[in-house]
Amino acid sequence: VVGGRVGAALVTGASGVLGGVVARHVVERWGVREVVLVSRRGGGAPGMGELEEELVGLGARVRVVACDVGDRGALARVVESIEVLSVVVHAAGVVDDGVVGGLDVGRVERVLGPKVDGAWWLHELTCGREEVVDFVLFSSAAGVFGGAGQGGYAAANSAVDALAQSRRAW
């Protein structure tokens, strides 16, 4: 037991910059010894092999999983495969910038799926697991301040912020 965390850390968006930083942090600073790295491309994602090797070198057991976190069934299989899950970090996301006139449903869904659906599915799949002591959702100031051409991204981050507030309240 290190800092109350006895189980694994699940990191979505693990092949991205934020996901990699967080994965290193939970191993180096929090002492987590089991890490499940999730990205759409799994081990085929650029830099994933190096990240896995680095975490193993730090003493962690690492499992890399290819999963679209916007797919509830696929994400449920990943979550259910982790016997004791102490840390959930959702850093997955897609940016598809465009001015409102250039957006269509498909483009907005590409942004909302991994960020919002993924966050909601993680919440739903873990809210009954008492061993989860940390549930971290990455968001952006774009959800508050907006950004030129980032309507979908801003909406997705606002939704994630609302989920974080709701989860914290209970």
Side-chain angles (χ1 to χ4, degrees), residues 11 13 15 35 44 47 53 60 62-63 98 100 108 115 117 127 136 145 149 162:
V11 180
S15 62
V35 182
E53 186 177 304
V62 179
R63 182 163 48 115
V100 172
V108 173
K115 179 67 94 175
D117 293 346
C127 66
V136 180
F145 302 114

Side-chain angles (χ1 to χ4, degrees), residues 13-74:
S15 62
V17 173
L18 286 174
V21 167
V22 170
R24 289 178 190 93
H25 182 83
V26 299
V27 171
E28 290 178 317
R29 301 289 173 104
W30 290 1
V32 171
R33 292 291 144 228
E34 182 180 352
V35 182
V36 179
L37 303 174
V38 176
S39 76
R40 282 186 310 263
R41 294 176 51 197
M48 188 63 86
E50 293 83 0
L51 177 60
E52 179 180 11
E53 186 177 304
E54 182 180 347
L55 296 175
V56 168
L58 292 170
R61 292 181 312 277
V62 179
R63 182 163 48 115
V64 177
V65 179
C67 176
D68 175 356
V69 297
D71 177 338
R72 187 193 187 287

Side-chain angles (χ1 to χ4, degrees), residues 103-154:
L103 294 178
D104 59 31
V105 172
R107 288 183 70 187
V108 173
E109 286 178 346
R110 272 191 296 282
V111 174
L112 294 179
K115 179 67 94 175
V116 179
D117 293 346
W120 180 258
W121 299 143
L122 284 167
H123 162 68
E124 186 179 86
L125 294 165
T126 63
C127 66
R129 294 183 72 159
E130 293 180 10
E131 76 273 20
V132 175
V133 293
D134 293 295
F135 188 89
V136 180
L137 301 169
F138 273 87
S139 182
S140 168
V144 176
F145 302 114
Q150 293 191 320
Y153 186 68

